[in-house]
Amino acid sequence: MAGAPPSFCFVAFPPRTENDQILFAKNSARPRDEVQEVLYIPASNHDPGSKVKCTYLEIEQSQKTHAVILSKPAWMWGAEMGANEHGVCIGNEAVITREAVSDTNLLLGMDLVRLGLERGATAKEALDIIVTLLEEHGQGGNYFEQECAGQAFQSSFLIVDRVEAWVLETVGKFWAAQKITGGVRCICNHLSLKTQIDLEHPGLKSYAKSQGWWSEDKEFNYSEIFSEDEKEEDCTGKETVEHQEDNLSVQTMLSILRDKSRGICVDSETFLTTASSVSVLPQDEGRPCIHFLTGTPDPSRSVFKPFIFVEDVKLVPSAQSSCLGEELCAHGDHEWRHELYEAHQCALTLIEKEQDEGERLMCIMQGLENQGLEAMEDLLNGTKPLDPAEVVDLFFDCVDTEIKFYK
């Protein structure tokens, strides 16, 4: 299994978006048969000196963790993407650089996504937390569950809130970051930062110089210095987003994530888009942030379902594989398949083998999604304040309805 998974993650700001909303989206490309779960974890207080076991490494726990919604490979502790109760969203990408990757079991990029969400109340705060943990513990370890497919990568992150976004790219314990406050920005499975860097590890330039990759008489171009290949690369997705003639909406984002012709929705022999998400972050703090997640593979044949943070959110065990708790469950591969995943797999088989029934089912799936989108649009554009009681079981009901239609 060669190469970094070709995931795709982007953010779009007003005036490119509708209704003064910041939009965050990610497709997570992972090994084809890997299951992702959607996991809600409420805010919690922890005893001083307590520890938390990440995928491989145990570290000190924060005394307080925020409520989070995560889309994560079921076998690991960390997440591919997610959001927290304060409107912070994070997605990560595996990248290959000229820096040798550590095979030692340290923190994974996905662990840092979850840690940033659990501990950061703003995008900048989450950035500071991630780089602090990176410098303290380092990154390394197998990104895939099967040891025979063992690969480790460096990590890049897109960290977004209602005000701004940060692109963070890492090389070992070294890093650089750029602040984004407008336009459209994408990250893929290669380095993208160039000369416009707002924050960096204090030893970054010295390290590049010590490796013979940069000299002070040349401009410091991060991606040129640390990329494995010298050729310039850019995100296909960025071009797709920027060429949209109209203002970007949630529906636009969903269409982009479903685009297989440009490789944004991955469906290859090795990798598949195993989960997807889109988040709407209104700049008006009086409006709720809304997060749409699939919990199933292939967004072109999945339903995006809305989630809103309120008190006492109803848990959704039918979209969850692992047990809630500090320790990962000792499941076998087949046991990671949660009820939603299993039902969706049956639906995909029907779609592929029975054309008429498949088309009918796809219409039902699209109708379910449209109902959720319309309801959320009314909520975002209406004058009535959010009633938490009306959305406490929103995601639960959407998943439950979807499973019933599949059966």
Side-chain angles (χ1 to χ4, degrees):
M1 189 173 290
S7 294
F8 169 71
C9 186
F10 68 91
V11 63
F13 288 84
R16 290 300 315 277
T17 59
E18 294 181 345
N19 303 321
D20 293 326
Q21 298 167 352
I22 296 174
L23 298 176
F24 168 87
K26 180 176 177 183
N27 269 352
S28 171
R30 299 283 302 175
R32 286 196 64 89
D33 296 329
E34 185 178 79
V35 177
Q36 284 204 35
E37 63 178 341
V38 177
L39 185 62
Y40 169 76
I41 304 171
S44 183
N45 294 311
H46 306 275
D47 294 334
S50 61
K51 303 286 187 179
V52 58
K53 177 64 163 42
C54 302
T55 303
Y56 301 123
L57 189 68
E58 186 176 75
I59 66 172
E60 290 187 4
Q61 179 61 285
S62 173
Q63 290 194 26
K64 177 177 174 56
T65 51
H66 307 306
V68 296
I69 185 78
L70 306 172
S71 184
K72 58 184 285 294
W75 67 271
M76 72 169 59
W77 184 86
E80 278 280 293
M81 60 263 197
N84 70 21
E85 61 185 306
H86 300 289
V88 179
C89 300
I90 307 179
N92 94 304
E93 302 286 337
V95 294
I96 297 176
T97 72
R98 65 196 306 177
E99 170 77 4
V101 183
S102 174
D103 292 327
T104 305
N105 286 337
L106 304 172
L107 291 176
L108 293 179
M110 289 72 77
D111 294 335
L112 291 166
V113 169
R114 179 168 173 176
L115 290 164
L117 290 170
E118 288 187 340
R119 303 181 183 194
T122 66
K124 177 57 168 56
E125 190 173 320
L127 168 73
D128 292 339
I129 288 163
I130 289 173
V131 299
T132 298
L133 292 169
L134 179 70
E135 292 174 8
E136 181 178 357
H137 300 288
Q139 60 179 317
N142 191 358
Y143 265 51
F144 307 134
E145 184 178 18
Q146 292 80 13
E147 291 184 6
C148 60
Q151 287 208 356
F153 302 99
Q154 312 289 0
S155 303
S156 65
F157 304 87
L158 185 57
I159 310 169
V160 184
D161 63 19
R162 293 178 185 260
V163 177
E164 63 189 22
W166 288 87
V167 175
L168 168 64
E169 297 186 344
T170 69
V171 179
K173 290 188 176 184
F174 297 94
W175 55 272
Q178 182 182 17
K179 182 177 177 179
I180 311 295
T181 57
V184 176
R185 185 58 181 269
C186 305
I187 64 170
C188 299
N189 58 341
H190 54 263
L191 299 177
S192 64
L193 295 182
K194 300 187 184 301
T195 59
Q196 294 181 336
I197 294 174
D198 295 303
L199 295 172
E200 64 185 60
H201 186 287
L204 179 67
K205 291 185 175 68
S206 297
Y207 180 71
K209 186 177 178 181
S210 71
Q211 298 300 305
W213 298 337
W214 175 70
S215 59
E216 293 181 354
D217 61 335
K218 295 183 179 179
E219 186 176 40
F220 191 85
N221 186 311
Y222 183 87
S223 62
E224 287 185 1
I225 293 166
F226 292 104
S227 292
E228 184 179 51
D229 299 321
E230 294 183 0
K231 64 180 180 179
E232 289 286 327
E233 293 190 68
D234 203 357
C235 281
T236 303
K238 182 183 182 206
E239 182 178 331
T240 303
V241 175
E242 289 184 342
H243 285 182
Q244 297 290 326
E245 293 182 0
D246 299 324
N247 285 347
L248 299 172
S249 64
V250 174
Q251 288 85 347
T252 309
M253 297 303 206
L254 302 187
S255 296
I256 292 171
L257 293 183
R258 287 169 165 152
D259 189 344
K260 290 187 175 181
S261 65
R262 294 178 174 85
I264 296 171
C265 178
V266 177
D267 190 355
S268 68
E269 292 183 4
T270 306
F271 295 112
L272 177 69
T273 296
T274 55
S276 305
S277 71
V278 172
S279 292
V280 183
L281 311 178
Q283 292 185 314
D284 178 359
E285 293 194 3
R287 305 288 185 183
C289 295
I290 302 176
H291 312 281
F292 296 88
L293 306 100
T294 60
T296 54
D298 190 349
S300 69
R301 299 185 294 181
S302 287
V303 178
F304 284 83
K305 299 166 281 290
F307 173 90
I308 298 175
F309 283 95
V310 291
E311 292 292 329
D312 300 320
V313 167
K314 189 172 184 178
L315 300 180
V316 188
S318 54
Q320 178 184 317
S321 305
S322 59
C323 305
L324 277 174
E326 297 300 326
E327 298 294 331
L328 288 170
C329 301
H331 288 325
D333 292 355
H334 66 286
E335 293 175 294
W336 292 125
R337 299 186 172 198
H338 50 74
E339 185 180 358
L340 175 61
Y341 181 92
E342 291 277 23
H344 183 259
Q345 289 295 296
C346 292
L348 291 186
T349 300
L350 177 65
I351 291 170
E352 292 168 358
K353 291 185 176 181
E354 303 288 342
Q355 182 176 353
D356 291 341
E357 281 298 305
E359 289 179 357
R360 185 185 70 84
L361 183 56
M362 286 292 292
C363 287
I364 292 174
M365 293 165 67
Q366 189 61 58
L368 287 174
E369 183 177 282
N370 288 340
Q371 288 178 23
L373 289 170
E374 290 169 5
M376 294 305 100
E377 186 172 347
D378 290 343
L379 185 60
L380 288 169
N381 297 332
T383 57
K384 182 181 177 182
L386 173 69
D387 181 358
E390 294 181 357
V391 298
V392 69
D393 53 1
L394 174 64
F395 192 74
F396 178 95
D397 287 345
C398 290
V399 171
D400 185 60
T401 301
E402 182 179 351
I403 291 174
K404 287 178 179 176
F405 273 111
Y406 291 154
K407 293 180 177 180

